[in-house]
Amino acid sequence: MPTEQRLASSDADEAPDAAGFGAQRAAARRTGWSALRPLVWRLHFYAGVLVAPFLLVTAVTGLLYAGAFQAEKVVYAHELRVPAGEHTLPLSRQVAAARAAHPEGTIAAVRPAPQPGETTRVLLAGVPGVPAEHQLAVFVDPYTGTLRGALPTYGATGALPLRTWLDDLHRNLHLGEPGRLYSELAASWLWVVAGGGLALWIGRKRTNRRLRALALPDRTATGRRRTLSWHGSVGVWAAVGLFFLSATGLTWSTYAGGHIDELRRALGQETPAVSTAVAAEHAHHGSGGMAGMPDMPGMDGKQGGGANGAAGSASGDVGVDKVLGAARAKGLSDPVEIDLPTGKGTAYVVKQIQRSWPEKQDAVAVDPGTGQVTDVSRFADYPVLAKLTRYGIDLHTGTLFGLVNQVALAALALALIFLILWGYRMWWQRRPTRDRTLSFGRPIPRGAWRQIPRPVLIPLVLVVAAVGWAVPLLGVSLAAFLAVDTVLGVLARRRAAAGARAD
């Protein structure tokens, strides 16, 4: 088939050009989609070409991160696993063993071994050579008290160096806070690209409107239409997952995430936390050694202890064994983390840290002087948006449903990678020939906005403005896209007018 005919036959999948736009004006006045379609197509094209590199990097790094959980178990098997014994040592003795080997820094928290055959983690803060936002995890055999090693750890999920490195790569390309803009830009546009592509694919004029034609690629197609068929069909299957990744990714982004936090605060939907304040008569107990743990008694686990985790009464601190027992009495089962008091007048906080289904996120505060529970927070009592945020983040990071969750994320990442590659391939297959000058697609024809019916245009402008405010990087980049597209349209019309005068 000649090139000109092949290009003409694919016009149903492209934005209308200036010559053909006039013939569509009557239809555009009657239906909103006829008027919106050129704009949606152009937006999808621009976003696909210009934002796709960011999306591609996000997808590749996300694919790597999805496999990090399983890789972590293999790489750090020595630190994480021990032969299961019949009896575990008191938690205070495990902490004392870790402290004896690592007197540097301060003990910030303790994670008792959650399952038989797993190690206890003693988390040290302020350790020289460990970044301030990280902690040093000392791994202790809960049956013998021997040390299995020490590794930097990060975040609530206790990510070890491999997963931490991949997490930073996915989140900010190891560029710090400025690097987070790349991932926020990708998350801001992902739902727009997916939604626009889905609308264009479903709204295409086709003789076969069966579900099979939308959900499965056309094996009889060739060339660009074959690529489009795979691009559209896979996009239909992946759309819901891509919407989800975009929405959850924005929840902890810099700018859009800040607006989401403001909205949750305004609606009273913040994540609750237990109060760490203790009664004044107990404020002097056991907190004086928080910053000076290495010098406190009880390093051998026989006396004193307080923040060192020993049992003793020398400092007036009941110790981590009684604190853990008090939390157990309130129904907090493994896995848990015990956060030590941060100063005078503050309590221990014991919180469940299971991010897999069903989630365990209950927490209690325990008075260090009396061992009594002073406050309780139950996940069942969380506000709706707080629960949804927790579920969404854990789904996004692959922890909510464990291995199944991680496989699903990997499949979504692969789908996004192929969608981007197919999109660029279609662009290449539409590359200029000797009969077409080099161009970056075709600009939106003049008058496209004016052809949109007011009942559609006014709500559309309001929605775009609201979304641009809520998702700032989307709003700024969209304005830039529209400006570029307008300039390209003006230049194209001037060239066309100059050509007409020359004729």
Side-chain angles (χ1 to χ4, degrees):
M1 179 184 294
T3 300
E4 294 82 355
Q5 294 180 12
R6 176 171 55 82
L7 291 172
S9 68
S10 63
D11 278 349
D13 305 317
E14 302 177 8
D17 56 20
F21 184 68
Q24 296 185 14
R25 288 190 174 182
R29 293 190 183 97
R30 291 193 298 269
T31 63
W33 175 244
S34 297
L36 283 175
R37 186 178 179 278
L39 304 181
V40 174
W41 187 95
R42 196 61 173 156
L43 181 64
H44 185 71
F45 173 77
Y46 264 143
V49 171
L50 300 177
V51 182
F54 298 96
L55 292 172
L56 184 60
V57 173
T58 305
V60 172
T61 57
L63 177 62
L64 295 174
Y65 183 79
F69 290 91
Q70 304 306 317
E72 192 174 62
K73 296 177 182 178
V74 176
V75 174
Y76 305 113
H78 177 75
E79 289 82 3
L80 297 174
R81 304 290 303 180
V82 294
E86 295 183 1
H87 303 287
T88 60
L89 297 174
L91 187 59
S92 57
R93 290 189 58 186
Q94 300 176 48
V95 175
R99 197 59 173 148
H102 291 273
E104 67 274 21
T106 58
I107 300 179
V110 182
R111 292 188 174 189
Q115 298 289 339
E118 296 184 356
T119 53
T120 292
R121 299 190 193 189
V122 179
L123 304 178
L124 307 179
V127 176
V130 177
E133 66 273 15
H134 293 65
Q135 296 174 327
L136 182 68
V138 181
F139 298 85
V140 183
D141 186 330
Y143 308 102
T144 66
T146 58
L147 266 63
R148 303 287 290 183
L151 295 167
T153 184
Y154 175 78
T157 60
L160 297 178
L162 173 62
R163 183 152 57 95
T164 299
W165 191 89
L166 291 173
D167 179 36
D168 284 343
L169 180 66
H170 178 64
R171 187 170 38 151
N172 58 34
L173 300 179
H174 294 283
L175 298 176
E177 284 300 312
R180 293 182 64 184
L181 296 179
Y182 114 87
S183 58
E184 181 168 356
L185 180 66
S188 299
W189 275 97
L190 180 56
W191 67 275
V192 178
V193 175
L198 187 64
L200 289 170
W201 182 246
I202 295 176
R204 291 174 71 234
K205 293 182 178 180
R206 55 174 69 244
T207 57
N208 186 353
R209 293 183 176 275
R210 293 182 300 175
L211 182 61
R212 177 184 177 86
L214 292 174
L216 296 177
D218 183 1
R219 296 183 179 180
T220 64
T222 59
R224 180 178 176 277
R225 282 189 173 276
R226 180 181 177 85
T227 307
L228 175 63
S229 179
W230 279 97
H231 182 83
S233 299
V234 173
V236 168
W237 286 100
V240 173
L242 297 179
F243 289 146
F244 164 79
L245 290 179
S246 176
T248 53
L250 289 173
T251 57
W252 67 86
S253 62
T254 301
Y255 298 106
H259 287 162
I260 293 172
D261 290 342
E262 291 176 4
L263 177 62
R264 287 178 57 192
R265 282 194 294 271
L267 298 176
Q269 296 287 307
E270 293 180 282
T271 300
V274 294
S275 172
T276 60
V278 297
E281 61 268 24
H282 300 141
H284 67 282
H285 286 306
S287 57
M290 294 302 119
M293 292 180 212
D295 301 323
M296 292 184 64
M299 292 302 298
D300 58 358
K302 296 179 181 179
Q303 64 173 351
N308 285 302
S313 59
S315 67
D317 191 302
V318 298
V320 292
D321 294 312
K322 290 186 178 180
V323 169
L324 182 58
R328 300 286 194 224
K330 290 295 183 178
L332 270 68
S333 57
D334 285 323
V336 298
E337 176 178 295
I338 305 171
D339 293 342
L340 274 67
T342 56
K344 292 183 178 180
T346 60
Y348 285 90
V349 174
V350 185
K351 54 189 179 184
Q352 292 178 310
I353 54 174
Q354 179 169 302
R355 297 292 182 82
S356 59
W357 187 268
E359 295 222 3
K360 295 181 180 180
Q361 295 290 304
D362 292 354
V364 298
V366 181
D367 189 324
T370 65
Q372 299 296 312
V373 173
T374 59
D375 195 18
V376 178
S377 173
R378 301 290 185 187
F379 184 69
D381 299 327
Y382 276 24
V384 173
L385 289 184
K387 285 184 177 179
L388 291 178
T389 300
R390 178 77 276 145
Y391 290 141
I393 290 175
D394 293 340
L395 267 174
H396 189 107
T397 55
T399 58
L400 188 59
F401 297 112
L403 181 60
V404 173
N405 197 165
Q406 294 149 25
V407 170
L409 288 176
L412 269 178
L414 284 171
L416 181 55
I417 290 171
F418 279 107
L419 287 170
I420 293 170
L421 296 179
W422 283 325
Y424 277 117
R425 177 168 173 76
M426 284 190 292
W427 189 30
W428 172 253
Q429 289 173 321
R430 290 181 57 232
R431 67 189 183 278
T433 66
R434 64 169 180 259
D435 299 318
R436 299 175 64 191
T437 58
L438 181 64
S439 63
F440 187 61
R442 287 175 290 181
I444 299 173
R446 177 178 294 180
W449 285 100
R450 292 195 298 271
Q451 301 307 315
I452 301 177
R454 287 191 177 183
V456 177
L457 178 61
I458 294 175
L460 177 64
V461 172
L462 295 176
V463 168
V464 170
V467 171
W469 173 86
V471 189
L473 290 189
L474 173 62
V476 171
S477 54
L478 176 59
F481 287 174
L482 292 177
V484 170
D485 200 54
T486 300
V487 170
L488 291 177
V490 171
L491 293 177
R493 286 191 292 271
R494 287 181 177 178
R495 286 195 299 266
R501 287 194 298 269
D503 292 339

